[in-house]
Amino acid sequence: MSHSPTNQSPTNQSPTNQSPTNQSPTNQSPTNQSPTNQSPTSTETPAHTTAAAPSALSAARTTATAARVLRQLRHDPRTIALMILIPCLMLILLRYVFDASPRTFDNIGASLLGIFPLITMFLVTSIATLRERTSGTLERLLALPLGKADVIAGYALAFGALAVVQSALATGLAVWLLGLDVTGSPWLLLLVALLDALLGTALGLFVSAFAASEFQAVQFMPAVIFPQLLLCGLFTPRSDMHPALEAVSDVLPMSYAVDGMNEVLHHTDMTATFVRDVLIVAGCALLVLGLGAATLRRRTA
Amino acid sequence: MNNLPGPSSPPLGDTPDPHPAPAVHADGLTVVRGPRTVLRHLRFTVPRGRITGLLGPSGCGKSTLMRSIVGTQAQVTGTLNVLGHPAGHPTLRSRIGYVTQAPSVYDDLTVRQNLAYFAAILDPGRAAAERRHHHVTRAIADVDLTSHADALAGNLSGGQRGRVSLAVALLGTPELLVLDEPTVGLDPVLRRDLWNLFHDLAATRGVTLLVSSHVMDEAERCHRLLLMREGEILADDTPDALRTRTGADTVEAAFLHLVDEAAAAGRTKESTR
């Protein structure tokens, strides 16, 4: 282990100094050069190093971030109560709205089990990360030896844990107390619900980059979620829609979330369609998480 | 693996070197924000182990300069070396403590929880838990918030939150502290205590401090001063030398003298054109 050649005593060096992403100071990417840069000395040391490779995911830093997010939520018990209770209350409401037609409740209820976690996690994540961006804590974090992947994974882990509790309660309530008639295993319902929650977290993280205020962040909910809600097959089968809309619904991830729920509802085994649906939802979540990571900038104007 | 040979590398080992390589060295440093050029071809150095004051009126580019040094400012061109690396280099992230003008802490965490989280980012892993606890306790004591350690940051006063933000920057024993207006809104007693802390950090822990302020009386407490105006550096000197050079009694008078001089020089340039 070598130290940087400073006149500081070695005890001042934190062990994290030896980052694997070290760049030589002369290592320069073309993007470091601004067209306005006419300084003759600029070639030796660029002041601009956005091209630094992102730090590798660190398990300790990711779990520390997740624990911090959960600790923040713990100081806000009302939000936790709302997140966990509202889906349950909506399911109870729905059950008695369709009191005379339990078949309808089966269909809509199963779909909603997948949609609730997506919406809640979308809202919570977009507001939480927006706060992180506007309060300056994100800038501070990114000036520390923390990888962007650590931030994203920390949030996904914390809200994922919360989503497990929310989905487990809602699924348990629907299946055992409200008599939701599922042919397949309730565990598969839970799996889809969890992936939906992850997708919601990913979407929330992504759109928070485009919101300048909490007002805007909340408005992104109808913009991002409502079209998917209308097109996902909840109100009418997707095959009955205008062909153009059906094509659009084919590329929206929520359609596959609802499809997956319905597969579990009607089939005892894991069908090929179910596996496809699960993979698509998971893939979309990962893709959007990656896009979300790209919106975290160490350097801002 | 970080050994970077070069003329800027200071000799290893001996701490009280009278002429070590500067902590910050800038040459032709220019920053553009949108249509505006905020910093124009700055050239200056910040010596190691000393307190350098960055003074100038609001909007003169102090914060932009600090963000450039920390590596969070985009559109930076020219040379800017910090602790022997180009600014923003990944290895610098654990060696620089940075305090923004607005306190950047989590309002819905207690003081101790805030510090514990940032400490876990700087020094992760279960093995380091005891060392982290020690660092957190020391940082809270440094900013005199021990009695408020378990209060939510959001329930503290503005000045107290600012000190939590400062305590975060003290974690992990940084070599360079970049403090953007750390004493704004503090009462005189606290301001004196903080300046004592800054001097203590420089003297006993060998920390380099770059402290911005628009309050000129704080300039007298710095070892060196960078006077800024409209994106340019008017003077880079010690407070004594500045007063002597301009024949002024205070740094404030010296600053005003330099501003008038620069304005007059600008007018002559225009009229000769």
Side-chain angles (χ1 to χ4, degrees):
Chain A
M1 296 278 271
S2 64
H3 286 293
S4 342
T6 68
N7 61 346
Q8 295 292 317
S9 77
T11 52
N12 279 353
Q13 307 265 339
S14 130
T16 51
N17 277 355
Q18 276 72 38
S19 149
T21 58
N22 270 348
Q23 271 197 325
S24 144
T26 51
N27 176 4
Q28 208 176 11
S29 96
T31 55
N32 284 347
Q33 291 284 355
S34 143
T36 56
N37 186 355
Q38 271 131 27
S39 162
T41 54
S42 63
T43 44
E44 82 183 60
T45 45
H48 199 203
T49 49
T50 33
S55 313
L57 193 71
S58 141
R61 292 191 174 112
T62 301
T63 48
T65 304
R68 183 265 297 172
V69 172
L70 289 176
R71 212 164 274 147
Q72 280 180 285
L73 270 177
R74 213 176 58 195
H75 289 291
D76 187 2
R78 194 179 301 174
T79 297
I80 300 183
L82 288 170
M83 282 173 74
I84 291 186
L85 291 181
I86 285 182
C88 296
L89 291 173
M90 288 301 118
L91 280 171
I92 296 173
L93 184 71
L94 201 71
R95 165 70 184 78
Y96 293 102
V97 165
F98 294 108
D99 203 23
S101 49
R103 289 298 302 155
T104 319
F105 173 67
D106 285 349
N107 279 321
I108 299 187
S111 305
L112 281 185
L113 278 180
I115 292 168
F116 278 136
L118 200 154
I119 294 180
T120 350
M121 293 306 145
F122 175 86
L123 276 176
V124 177
T125 319
S126 59
I127 301 283
T129 41
L130 181 76
R131 273 194 200 166
E132 185 110 62
R133 284 175 207 267
T134 51
S135 69
T137 45
L138 185 68
E139 178 175 322
R140 167 165 246 161
L141 282 178
L142 292 178
L144 292 175
L146 179 70
K148 294 173 189 176
D150 293 329
V151 182
I152 302 271
Y155 267 97
L157 206 63
F159 289 137
L162 213 59
V164 172
V165 178
Q166 188 203 54
S167 306
L169 273 176
T171 310
L173 178 83
V175 173
W176 284 295
L177 289 180
L178 301 178
L180 183 83
D181 196 8
V182 212
T183 317
S185 158
W187 289 107
L188 295 180
L189 282 186
L190 193 61
L191 172 71
V192 181
L194 198 64
L195 288 173
D196 287 350
L198 196 66
L199 180 66
T201 299
L203 285 170
L205 223 103
F206 180 65
V207 303
S208 77
F210 304 98
S213 68
E214 262 110 335
F215 284 141
Q216 290 180 9
V218 174
Q219 293 306 320
F220 269 115
M221 209 276 275
V224 174
I225 303 291
F226 276 26
Q228 299 202 58
L229 210 56
L230 291 175
L231 295 176
C232 71
L234 180 66
F235 298 102
T236 178
R238 291 198 290 133
S239 52
D240 293 357
M241 293 175 191
H242 187 281
L245 288 183
E246 196 189 342
V248 173
S249 80
D250 281 344
V251 295
L252 294 177
M254 200 193 277
S255 310
Y256 298 93
V258 169
D259 270 7
M261 284 297 189
N262 283 319
E263 286 297 309
V264 185
L265 200 63
H266 299 299
H267 303 277
T268 33
D269 300 324
M270 263 204 271
T271 59
T273 322
F274 176 80
V275 174
R276 180 207 65 181
D277 292 338
V278 163
L279 287 178
I280 289 180
V281 174
C284 280
L286 287 178
L287 179 76
V288 182
L289 278 179
L291 289 175
T295 66
L296 301 179
R297 292 281 162 82
R298 287 197 196 268
R299 284 181 185 269
T300 48
Chain B
M1 68 194 160
N2 302 347
N3 271 320
L4 297 165
S8 64
S9 303
L12 281 163
D14 46 338
T15 312
D17 188 331
H19 297 292
V24 181
H25 166 72
D27 197 353
L29 174 68
T30 300
V31 175
V32 179
R33 290 183 71 182
R36 279 187 61 217
T37 304
V38 185
L39 303 178
R40 293 163 209 279
H41 296 285
L42 299 193
R43 185 198 174 111
F44 64 89
T45 56
V46 173
R48 277 189 198 254
R50 324 246 55 200
I51 303 177
T52 302
L54 182 60
L55 289 112
S58 300
C60 71
K62 298 188 298 281
S63 295
T64 306
L65 177 55
M66 295 190 135
R67 281 168 44 83
S68 307
I69 290 171
V70 175
T72 55
Q73 179 67 46
Q75 302 289 322
V76 182
T77 52
T79 302
L80 182 56
N81 280 327
V82 180
L83 303 173
H85 294 272
H89 193 277
T91 53
L92 292 175
R93 284 180 202 142
S94 54
R95 297 170 63 195
I96 303 179
Y98 171 44
V99 182
T100 49
Q101 213 163 338
S104 46
V105 291
Y106 297 102
D107 281 348
D108 40 9
L109 291 181
T110 68
V111 173
R112 184 178 289 282
Q113 286 171 342
N114 262 293
L115 286 155
Y117 171 57
F118 287 107
I121 297 304
L122 277 165
D123 192 4
R126 204 166 290 168
E130 197 148 319
R131 188 167 61 231
R132 279 206 300 271
H133 181 79
H134 170 72
H135 277 160
V136 166
T137 308
R138 187 181 69 171
I140 294 176
D142 278 344
V143 298
D144 198 18
L145 278 177
T146 308
S147 55
H148 292 80
D150 295 314
L152 280 185
N155 292 344
L156 299 177
S157 75
Q160 288 169 329
R161 285 171 73 235
R163 280 185 283 152
V164 180
S165 201
L166 174 63
V168 173
L170 297 177
L171 290 167
T173 325
E175 292 163 53
L176 171 65
L177 270 178
V178 178
L179 310 176
D180 201 349
E181 312 233 347
T183 56
V184 162
L186 296 183
D187 63 76
V189 179
L190 265 174
R191 255 170 58 176
R192 184 199 58 196
D193 289 352
L194 276 189
W195 275 99
N196 287 343
L197 171 67
F198 298 161
H199 277 278
D200 183 57
L201 288 170
T204 61
R205 300 185 206 167
V207 179
T208 306
L209 290 101
L210 181 64
V211 184
S212 80
S213 178
H214 61 262
V215 193
M216 291 291 168
D217 65 340
E218 297 197 327
E220 314 280 352
R221 306 176 194 254
C222 300
H223 297 120
R224 277 196 84 81
L225 292 175
L226 291 172
L227 296 189
M228 273 185 85
R229 184 177 163 270
E230 291 177 5
E232 287 172 19
I233 286 186
L234 285 184
D236 175 1
D237 221 330
T238 62
D240 280 340
L242 267 177
R243 280 192 298 263
T244 319
R245 197 174 82 189
T246 55
D249 293 334
T250 59
V251 170
E252 182 163 2
F255 178 72
L256 292 173
H257 179 88
L258 288 167
V259 168
D260 290 343
E261 217 174 63
R267 271 197 300 275
T268 11
K269 210 190 269 171
E270 245 164 56
S271 58
T272 50
R273 217 174 258 165

